[in-house]
Amino acid sequence: MAVVLSAERLRCVRDHRCLFSNLSFQVSRGEILHLKGPNGAGKTTLLRGLVGLTTLVEGRIHWFPQDSSDDEKPNEKIWYIAHRPAVTLLQSPLENLRYSLTLHGIALPEADLWQALATVGLLGYEDVPSHQLSAGQQRRVGLARLFLPVEDQISIWVLDEPLTALDVSAVHQLKERILTFAGRGGAVIMTSHHGIDSDAVRSLDLEEAG
Amino acid sequence: MWQALVRWFHRWTSPKIFYQISRPWIFWSSVAAIAILAVALTWGLVFAPVERLQGNSYRIIFIHVPSAFLSQAIYLAIAIMGLVGLVWRIKLAFYAAKQCIPIGASMALLALVTGAIWGKPTWGTWWVWDARLTSMLVLLFLYLGLWALHNAMERQETGDRAAAILALVGVVNLPIIKFSVVWWNTLHQPATLKLTQAPPMHISMLIPFLMAIVGFYLAALAWGLSRTRLEILQREPNARWVREELDQLGSAR
Amino acid sequence: MTLTAVIQGIMRRELQLAFRRRAELLNPLLFFLIVVSLFPIGVTPELARLSEMAVGVLWVTALLANLLSLDLLFRSDFDDGSLEQQLMANVPASLLVLVKVVTHWLVTGLPLTLMSPMLSLMLALPSEAIPLLMLTLALGTLTLSLLGGIGAALTVGLRKGGLLLTVLIMPLFVPVIIFGTGAVSAFIDQLPWLGHLALLAAMVTGSLVLAPLVTVLALEIAVED
């Protein structure tokens, strides 16, 4: 399968502490890379480095190495779900979702947005200001992005602890969704303390690798 | 070729090597500074002839002008070091830039105080909104801004880079500020007697004047180097050589 | 989606957010009104003397009002993580910053400008100078929003950035104050004033081009922390 990300000899030092060094890996289409390691192992930093929000000290990150066009920051093809959920509290779930799409330059029919919100169980809340929602519901607003039918434009998910603060059924639903996405040729790089069982999942332990 | 140059540059700017090289530099520049300043200031303050228009009060220029020069030069240096740090990610440049802030600020303050002391006998008041004094005041504000920004940041690395950006914005602005202040000043009150605009200086004034400038620069160099060395020790506490160095310093005492 | 549509979408969100924080929209205007009316109380009620300092008082107060509200320009987006998404967006981040700053000016600098005629009457500014005062204030507040954006980006990671922002940005703003007030004063004194105005316009243009780029750099540093 086509390689979408190749990382070579990454090294990261933060506040005089070496988080990882000489870290190399590849991610292909249809693959789920599960980053593991205890708290403070540098999982979040690595993800942020991959999407270009943090500069790692050394190493090379190459997205779509087989593409002839040299995409340095192919961010339009990535959904990045961070610790901070990127949910604006003064806006409704619908507005939040639409804004995320706008930033990626994607226009979708309204019905698709409603569908995604319905899938994560926010139907009936779509026009309520997000600060009136519970913490769990606010997380779902952020995660609703993953349920939008945009596989053509967005082929990579970078997910930082997407399964925390969700109830059991929501965890199950999101795992299913991640597997479906990978099954359709998407690539997922994620951190989680939950395990996902599938042939598509490959684990990378930062503690051992670094 | 370029690669080799970059590698050489990186090695030279490694904190450890800088720490070793700078020791003799500090010694010789401070010795030279003390010698030159002693001669220049004795000559300038005691032996140089009295000035025709301003009498003895002109003698303050032997301190005022060098400190004013230095405060501007140091701001420029901070901006350049900030740029070097941002572009090539050289930590040493950030360390030095940070430690130059108090030096530059104290030079600006010295220039302002000596300007005020000169103003009292000349204009009859301690403070006049003279163009040079005003832009020196703004420069002091810029220094204070850098200092405040550094102190506000929790992570030193963030403070380094944020202050570098501010210094770059400031250095672009500085000529505009000076230009605008001069214009504003000439519009509002043309001063008849300007500080540092003495008529062509007699050679017996010029020599100690130039010497004082050189002496100030050397003193600032020694000061900046020793502050940077301390900053290195403080910022890299985990490097083995730093620990050894600290042990040695401790046992020497 | 075309670039125009994206920019429209971004601008719509910024305006929406501004109007949902209505109380904060009003604060700069109240600040302007109250501080300006303190000057006659603190200095003198004599109109002749007030009119001498009217330009400076109006300018500096309007700038402070504008600057104090700038603190929030990136803060809420930084706190909830939207800023990270914006920096990763498909549009150039500097363009996004420019849209944000211009929106801020539309809801702060422009209202302050529109309010200035009323306050200039309270300070007995000659009424024929009012149009020029408004023009210079419009340009001045826009420049301040642009330069202040840099300061807001530098201090976005701090819990309280408001006062620090003023300390950082106001010294840089000396030339704009000089040429802005200079144009109006020269007009009142019947001296040539177009030169001042041209320089002011040049500074607006310069900061329109450069400030967003620097702001993005500062935001990237803040996000990286």
Side-chain angles (χ1 to χ4, degrees):
Chain A
M1 280 274 214
V3 175
V4 291
L5 166 68
S6 99
E8 292 160 30
R9 293 194 303 283
L10 301 183
R11 176 179 148 81
C12 180
V13 180
R14 220 177 128 84
D15 296 329
H16 309 298
R17 212 159 58 81
C18 178
L19 293 176
F20 47 80
S21 67
N22 210 10
L23 183 69
S24 301
F25 58 88
Q26 283 194 334
V27 183
S28 308
R29 291 186 162 279
E31 237 183 349
I32 300 170
L33 184 71
H34 187 174
L35 296 176
K36 290 181 175 170
N39 291 334
K43 298 182 299 262
T44 297
T45 312
L46 176 58
L47 291 188
R48 292 169 61 83
L50 292 179
V51 298
L53 287 174
T54 295
T55 334
L56 304 175
V57 178
E58 278 170 31
R60 260 165 55 86
I61 294 164
H62 211 135
W63 286 99
F64 305 106
Q66 285 152 351
D67 266 15
S68 48
S69 59
D70 49 335
D71 267 18
E72 281 261 324
K73 272 175 129 190
N75 284 338
E76 71 252 44
K77 294 179 184 159
I78 300 177
W79 276 138
Y80 171 55
I81 306 278
H83 262 294
R84 288 185 267 203
V87 174
T88 306
L89 295 184
L90 280 174
Q91 292 202 299
S92 70
L94 199 59
E95 286 164 340
N96 268 302
L97 212 49
R98 200 182 291 129
Y99 184 63
S100 297
L101 285 169
T102 306
L103 287 181
H104 275 73
I106 302 172
L108 274 189
E110 201 80 336
D112 288 341
L113 305 185
W114 285 77
Q115 182 58 45
L117 287 175
T119 316
V120 295
L122 287 172
L123 209 57
Y125 294 98
E126 63 282 337
D127 277 332
V128 176
S130 298
H131 60 80
Q132 291 180 12
L133 303 178
S134 73
Q137 284 173 321
Q138 287 173 7
R139 262 202 83 73
R140 287 163 189 236
V141 177
L143 292 172
R145 280 179 280 170
L146 301 179
F147 292 88
L148 290 166
V150 286
E151 277 96 348
D152 292 340
Q153 290 97 333
I154 290 179
S155 53
I156 293 157
W157 290 358
V158 177
L159 312 176
D160 197 352
E161 297 288 352
L163 299 172
T164 46
L166 293 178
D167 58 35
V168 180
S169 66
V171 168
H172 181 71
Q173 186 189 26
L174 185 54
K175 280 184 183 173
E176 286 299 313
R177 173 65 186 148
I178 290 172
L179 291 176
T180 330
F181 176 70
R184 290 185 197 153
V188 181
I189 304 161
M190 62 183 288
T191 65
S192 178
H193 295 294
H194 294 258
I196 300 186
D197 293 322
S198 160
D199 292 341
V201 179
R202 201 154 54 84
S203 295
L204 179 70
D205 197 317
L206 283 190
E207 196 93 49
E208 289 163 20
Chain B
M1 167 65 194
W2 176 245
Q3 289 279 316
L5 198 68
V6 169
R7 223 171 295 135
W8 173 82
F9 190 59
H10 268 280
R11 229 189 54 190
W12 195 82
T13 52
S14 97
K16 184 182 175 186
I17 293 179
F18 172 84
Y19 191 87
Q20 288 158 355
I21 299 179
S22 57
R23 196 191 310 252
W25 277 82
I26 292 176
F27 177 75
W28 289 113
S29 54
S30 34
V31 167
I34 291 169
I36 293 176
L37 279 180
V39 174
L41 293 183
T42 331
W43 187 348
L45 298 183
V46 183
F47 296 109
V50 174
E51 213 258 347
R52 185 165 47 89
L53 288 173
Q54 306 175 20
N56 269 321
S57 62
Y58 90 97
R59 292 184 196 278
I60 200 103
I61 66 159
F62 292 110
I63 298 171
H64 175 82
V65 177
S67 55
F69 275 8
L70 252 179
S71 63
Q72 297 173 48
I74 290 176
Y75 197 87
L76 182 64
I78 289 174
I80 292 173
M81 288 187 286
L83 186 68
V84 169
L86 284 177
V87 174
W88 288 290
R89 304 192 155 265
I90 291 170
K91 284 189 276 178
L92 182 64
F94 284 137
Y95 298 167
K98 182 186 171 195
Q99 288 304 328
C100 280
I101 295 171
I103 303 177
S106 45
M107 286 299 139
L109 191 63
L110 185 61
L112 283 174
V113 170
T114 50
I117 293 172
W118 179 82
K120 186 64 183 165
T122 316
W123 292 318
T125 66
W126 293 106
W127 183 262
V128 165
W129 288 93
D130 161 80
R132 280 160 207 271
L133 285 181
T134 309
S135 46
M136 192 51 69
L137 185 66
V138 177
L139 182 63
L140 179 64
F141 291 163
L142 291 177
Y143 273 118
L144 294 179
L146 284 180
W147 178 77
L149 187 59
H150 247 297
N151 277 334
M153 296 292 177
E154 273 166 26
R155 282 187 71 218
Q156 305 237 39
E157 287 79 8
T158 317
D160 284 337
R161 301 173 66 201
I165 288 186
L166 187 65
L168 283 170
V169 176
V171 96
V172 171
N173 238 289
L174 211 51
I176 308 176
I177 292 175
K178 294 200 80 166
F179 165 72
S180 67
V181 168
V182 168
W183 190 357
W184 160 80
N185 187 253
T186 46
L187 273 182
H188 286 86
Q189 45 157 14
T192 42
L193 206 53
K194 285 206 181 96
L195 189 51
T196 75
Q197 271 204 347
M201 256 190 256
H202 189 263
I203 190 81
S204 61
M205 297 177 187
L206 192 62
I207 292 175
F209 179 67
L210 294 177
M211 280 175 75
I213 292 177
V214 174
F216 262 79
Y217 270 86
L218 285 171
L221 180 68
W223 192 6
L225 287 176
S226 50
R227 287 193 71 106
T228 308
R229 280 162 60 92
L230 289 179
E231 179 78 7
I232 292 174
L233 293 184
Q234 198 195 346
R235 292 283 285 273
E236 314 227 323
N238 290 354
R240 188 186 298 155
W241 72 267
V242 170
R243 268 184 261 153
E244 283 165 8
E245 175 72 19
L246 286 176
D247 283 346
Q248 264 192 1
L249 289 177
S251 61
R253 202 192 305 157
Chain C
M1 257 173 135
T2 59
L3 189 62
T4 341
V6 174
I7 292 173
Q8 270 175 7
I10 293 167
M11 190 143 188
R12 191 180 314 123
R13 170 183 184 261
E14 297 300 326
L15 284 173
Q16 252 175 16
L17 289 181
F19 284 107
R20 284 177 195 175
R21 299 190 189 110
R22 251 175 240 116
E24 274 159 31
L25 280 189
L26 219 55
N27 283 344
L29 299 178
L30 293 178
F31 179 93
F32 193 30
L33 172 68
I34 291 170
V35 174
V36 164
S37 36
L38 288 181
F39 274 87
I41 297 171
V43 184
T44 168
E46 238 175 274
L47 288 184
R49 280 177 64 196
L50 279 179
S51 87
E52 262 178 41
M53 39 179 255
V55 182
V57 169
L58 288 169
W59 249 78
V60 173
T61 317
L63 294 184
L64 277 178
N66 197 25
L67 196 55
L68 290 176
S69 68
L70 260 177
D71 187 31
L72 291 169
L73 188 56
F74 302 110
R75 171 112 349 123
S76 65
D77 280 351
F78 177 81
D79 288 340
D80 67 23
S82 303
L83 191 61
E84 293 170 352
Q85 304 288 337
Q86 288 161 2
L87 289 177
M88 287 175 61
N90 215 358
V91 279
S94 52
L95 194 61
L96 204 143
V97 164
L98 187 64
V99 172
K100 264 177 173 298
V101 169
V102 169
T103 315
H104 176 266
W105 178 77
L106 282 177
V107 298
T108 316
L110 192 60
L112 286 172
T113 308
L114 295 177
M115 204 176 149
S116 61
M118 187 184 86
L119 296 179
S120 63
L121 291 181
M122 289 167 66
L123 294 182
L125 186 82
S127 56
E128 59 281 8
I130 288 179
L132 187 60
L133 174 80
M134 289 178 72
L135 179 61
T136 57
L137 267 184
L139 295 177
T141 46
L142 180 58
T143 320
L144 186 66
S145 291
L146 287 160
L147 274 183
I150 300 175
L154 288 173
T155 56
V156 73
L158 305 170
R159 253 156 285 148
K160 282 255 171 217
L163 280 176
L164 183 60
L165 180 63
T166 317
V167 171
L168 300 186
I169 295 303
M170 269 305 183
L172 297 174
F173 215 65
V174 168
V176 182
I177 298 177
I178 287 177
F179 293 121
T181 55
V184 186
S185 305
F187 178 82
I188 294 172
D189 298 340
Q190 296 180 332
L191 294 168
W193 47 274
L194 258 175
H196 292 77
L197 195 62
L199 283 166
L200 188 62
M203 286 190 280
V204 177
T205 321
S207 25
L208 268 175
V209 177
L210 294 177
L213 299 173
V214 182
T215 309
V216 171
L217 266 182
L219 285 176
E220 282 171 353
I221 289 173
V223 164
E224 190 165 320
D225 189 17

